[in-house]
Amino acid sequence: MTSSILSIGTAVPKHKIPQTQVVEFMAKAHGMKGAEQGRLRALYRASGIEDRYSTIPDYASNQLEERAFYPPSEGLDPFPTTKARSDYYRKEAIELSVESSNNCLAQTAVESKDITHLITISCTGMYAPGLDIDLVNRLGLSKSVQRTCINFMGCYAAFVGIKAANAFCAADPKAKVLVVATELCTLHFQNKTDDDNLISNAIFGDGSAALLISADTSLGAEVQLKPLTFYNEVFSEGEQEMAWNIGDFGFEMKLSAYVPVLIEKGIKNLVQQLKDQVSIDEIHHYALHPGGKRILEVIEQELGLDKNQDWAGREVLKNYGNMSSPTVVFVLKKLFETLSSKHKGDKILSLAFGPGLTVESMILEVI
C-alpha cells in the first residue's frame, strides 16, 4: 500500500445526553412502569455507556413542551415519518460533516481546494443532490473533485472508504482523498419494545469523522498511519441478526443479542488470516469498533486481550456510544493522539462489524 492516513478529525452534536436522562425519555415513551422500567434501567446501566450525543435535544428533557423534534404528547403521536426524518438529516448532517472535515484538514498542509477525491459515508440518510455535493459547496472543494458515495453499509463502512481511498492513491500518486463518515443514528428512534429495538435505542449516538489519505506523507503530521493490509468476511448465518431497513417511520435497526456469539465463533480465525497476509506476529495497539459492550468483551476474550489493551474502544463506547460508521475512526483518533515518533513501526489491528454479518479488518503501521 502506498498511501497513509495523514490526519483524522471528528465532530459531535452540541447536545451531550447522559444515559440516565435517555432512559427516562425511553421509559416514558414506551409507557413503562414498575418492573418493566426497572429492567430498562438495568439495560442502560449495563451498556458500558455514560454519555451519547444527539442532534435532537428531546432525549435530555422530560418536559413535553420543550421538545424540538418529537410531538409534545406522551405517546409521541403523531410519530415522525421517514420524510420528516430525512428532511432533518439533510439539515443537520452537513453541519457535522463540515466540522469534522475542517478539523481534519486543519492538521495538515492541504487546503480544501487541493482535495482530488471526496468519499462520503452514511447509512442514516440519503438525498440527491446529496451530502457529497453539499460538502463540495460548503468546503470550497474543486467543482471537478471526484466523488464517491458509500451508503447503507453500516458500522464497517469506514473500512470500505479507506480501501477506496487507497485504490485512488495507487492509481494517482498525487491524489488527496477526503473520507467523511457521518451518521445521525438517534434520528431513527423506534417506539417499540422488542429486544432489538430496546438494545438499539440504548447504544446508538450521532457523530462524524473525517480522514485525509494521500501518498504524499510530507503533507501530514510527523506521525501517520499506513494501512498494510485488509481482510473481510461475511458470516452468512448472521444475515438476519444485524440489519437496517427503511420503514414508514424512519430506518429500522435490528441488532440481535446473537451477534456476539457469531463474532466469537469466527473472529480468531479471521484475524489470523489477516496477519498471515503480511507475516506479522506482534500487534502493539488495538482499534476495535465498540458495537456494544458484549461485542468488545467477546473479542477481548477470543484474542487474549485485557481491558487496558482495548482502552480506546472502551473509552469511545463510554463517551459516545455506537455511532455506526464514524465510530471506529473515533477509536483510531484516540490512538493517534497517543502516538509519537517512538512508536514508529508499531502495528495496529482494527476491526468493525455490520450488516451481513460482515466483519472488516485492517492492519496499520505507525510511520
Side-chain angles (χ1 to χ4, degrees):
M1 305 250 180
T2 58
S3 64
S4 297
I5 298 172
L6 306 186
S7 62
I8 300 174
T10 58
V12 291
K14 63 181 179 181
H15 305 296
K16 180 180 180 179
I17 305 178
Q19 283 287 76
T20 53
Q21 291 184 320
V22 183
V23 73
E24 297 305 320
F25 172 92
M26 294 297 174
K28 182 173 288 188
H30 296 319
M32 290 181 170
K33 299 184 185 299
E36 275 190 325
Q37 192 176 94
R39 285 193 291 272
L40 187 68
R41 288 199 174 105
L43 172 64
Y44 276 65
R45 285 196 300 271
S47 67
I49 301 169
E50 290 186 2
D51 298 293
R52 287 180 280 166
Y53 290 81
S54 176
T55 59
I56 301 172
D58 303 14
Y59 298 111
S61 175
N62 286 322
Q63 304 303 315
L64 301 183
E65 65 276 7
E66 294 179 359
R67 287 183 182 165
F69 181 71
Y70 295 106
S73 63
E74 288 285 352
L76 304 180
D77 186 48
F79 207 45
T81 64
T82 300
K83 182 183 186 308
R85 298 173 199 248
S86 295
D87 290 345
Y88 193 93
Y89 174 92
R90 185 167 191 162
K91 180 181 71 172
E92 297 290 341
I94 182 61
E95 302 303 329
L96 280 181
S97 301
V98 168
E99 185 178 351
S100 67
S101 298
N102 284 332
N103 289 341
C104 177
L105 293 175
Q107 304 168 45
T108 72
V110 178
E111 297 182 20
S112 56
K113 63 181 177 60
D114 299 324
I115 299 297
T116 60
H117 298 72
L118 172 66
I119 300 173
T120 55
I121 301 169
S122 191
C123 67
T124 50
M126 284 181 280
Y127 58 95
L131 184 60
D132 56 330
I133 291 181
D134 283 347
L135 272 172
V136 170
N137 294 328
R138 288 286 298 274
L139 295 176
L141 304 185
S142 167
K143 301 299 183 183
S144 62
V145 67
Q146 297 189 47
R147 296 175 286 113
T148 301
C149 301
I150 298 172
N151 299 119
F152 239 57
M153 298 191 81
C155 298
Y156 66 86
F159 283 70
V160 181
I162 294 170
K163 285 191 282 188
N166 271 298
F168 293 146
C169 291
D172 178 6
K174 296 181 180 179
K176 301 170 186 65
V177 188
L178 181 63
V179 182
V180 185
T182 301
E183 306 289 7
L184 306 188
C185 299
T186 66
L187 180 57
H188 296 289
F189 159 61
Q190 299 295 308
N191 196 10
K192 301 176 182 177
T193 57
D194 57 279
D195 289 345
D196 290 345
N197 274 292
L198 291 180
I199 293 172
S200 297
N201 293 338
I203 67 172
F204 282 99
D206 300 350
S208 178
L211 310 96
L212 182 64
I213 298 176
S214 176
D216 188 348
T217 57
S218 69
L219 299 171
E222 179 186 2
V223 174
Q224 299 168 20
L225 303 179
K226 182 182 183 66
L228 296 181
T229 190
F230 300 91
Y231 182 74
N232 73 282
E233 196 168 310
V234 177
F235 297 174
S236 298
E237 63 269 37
E239 182 177 353
Q240 301 303 316
E241 307 305 325
M242 188 182 291
W244 198 226
N245 298 303
I246 299 177
D248 294 333
F249 300 97
F251 295 178
E252 299 170 353
M253 175 69 188
K254 179 175 182 180
L255 181 60
S256 166
Y258 186 54
V259 168
V261 177
L262 293 171
I263 293 173
E264 183 178 21
K265 289 167 59 177
I267 197 65
K268 187 181 294 184
N269 180 63
L270 181 142
V271 169
Q272 188 57 54
Q273 293 191 60
L274 177 72
K275 288 181 178 179
D276 289 345
Q277 291 180 2
V278 285
S279 301
I280 288 176
D281 294 323
E282 185 176 5
I283 298 294
H284 304 86
H285 312 278
Y286 294 86
L288 309 180
H289 167 64
K293 182 181 177 182
R294 181 59 185 148
I295 288 176
L296 288 181
E297 290 174 343
V298 162
I299 297 171
E300 291 164 1
Q301 175 185 319
E302 289 302 299
L303 300 186
L305 308 179
D306 61 38
K307 294 178 181 179
N308 292 328
Q309 291 172 288
D310 185 26
W311 69 269
R314 285 179 170 270
E315 187 171 313
V316 168
L317 181 67
K318 175 183 175 182
N319 295 315
Y320 302 95
N322 181 351
M323 298 164 284
S324 192
S325 63
T327 314
V328 73
V329 186
F330 272 67
V331 178
L332 282 171
K333 182 172 174 58
K334 287 288 182 187
L335 280 175
F336 208 1
E337 292 171 343
T338 67
L339 300 174
S340 65
S341 57
K342 71 179 182 180
H343 295 102
K344 290 189 176 183
D346 283 6
K347 306 300 187 297
I348 300 170
L349 171 65
S350 189
L351 302 169
F353 320 91
L357 175 78
T358 303
V359 182
E360 284 277 358
S361 62
M362 169 174 63
I363 289 178
L364 306 101
E365 182 178 8
V366 182
I367 64 167

